[in-house]
């Protein structure tokens, strides 16, 4: 089963989209990123009814960029993801 971050950050065949080298993230880093992503998603869901797809993409991108820059602390990655999601367009909640 694919983790949340692996699903959101799947490689694209579109050359205009940002892609990440398959070897950039080890299994251990993917597990760390997935943990941070899931924790961020839960934090957002605790205060909002839904996490939009745009928010999830921004969260994943924020985590991947931070890991590429050397961040390895789950709490810091979670905070980065939550901050990244705050810049995403919000869906209307009925």
């Amino acid at each position: 089963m694919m983790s949340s971050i692996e699903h959101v950050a799947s490689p694209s065949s579109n050359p205009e989209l940002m892609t990440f080298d398959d070897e950039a993230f080890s299994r251990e880093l993917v597990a760390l990123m997935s943990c941070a992503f899931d924790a961020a998603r839960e934090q957002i869901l605790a205060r909002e009814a839904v996490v939009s797809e745009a928010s999830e993409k921004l969260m994943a991108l924020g985590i991947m960029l931070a890991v590429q820059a050397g961040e390895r602390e789950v709490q810091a990655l979670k905070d980065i993801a939550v901050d990244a999601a705050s810049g995403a367009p919000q869906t209307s909640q009925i």
Side-chain angles (χ1 to χ4, degrees):
M1 183 174 172
M2 205 179 325
S3 73
S4 300
I5 199 163
E6 288 172 310
H7 173 71
V8 172
S10 296
S12 171
S13 60
N14 185 339
E16 293 183 33
L17 296 177
M18 181 180 289
T19 58
F20 292 87
D21 183 7
D22 290 339
E23 296 184 35
F25 305 122
S26 67
R27 286 183 183 265
E28 292 79 16
L29 284 178
V30 170
L32 179 97
M33 293 186 299
S34 293
C35 182
F37 180 91
D38 292 341
R41 192 171 191 287
E42 289 301 315
Q43 180 176 326
I44 293 168
L45 284 173
R47 67 174 190 248
E48 298 176 23
V50 67
V51 179
S52 71
E53 183 177 340
S55 291
E56 288 182 339
K57 288 180 179 181
L58 288 172
M59 290 164 52
L61 179 60
I63 290 171
M64 289 186 291
L65 291 172
V67 167
Q68 280 191 325
E71 183 59 64
R72 298 294 185 268
E73 294 293 324
V74 173
Q75 181 64 41
L77 292 170
K78 179 192 72 97
D79 293 343
I80 288 166
V82 170
D83 289 345
S86 68
Q90 299 299 312
T91 57
S92 61
Q93 298 175 15
I94 298 175

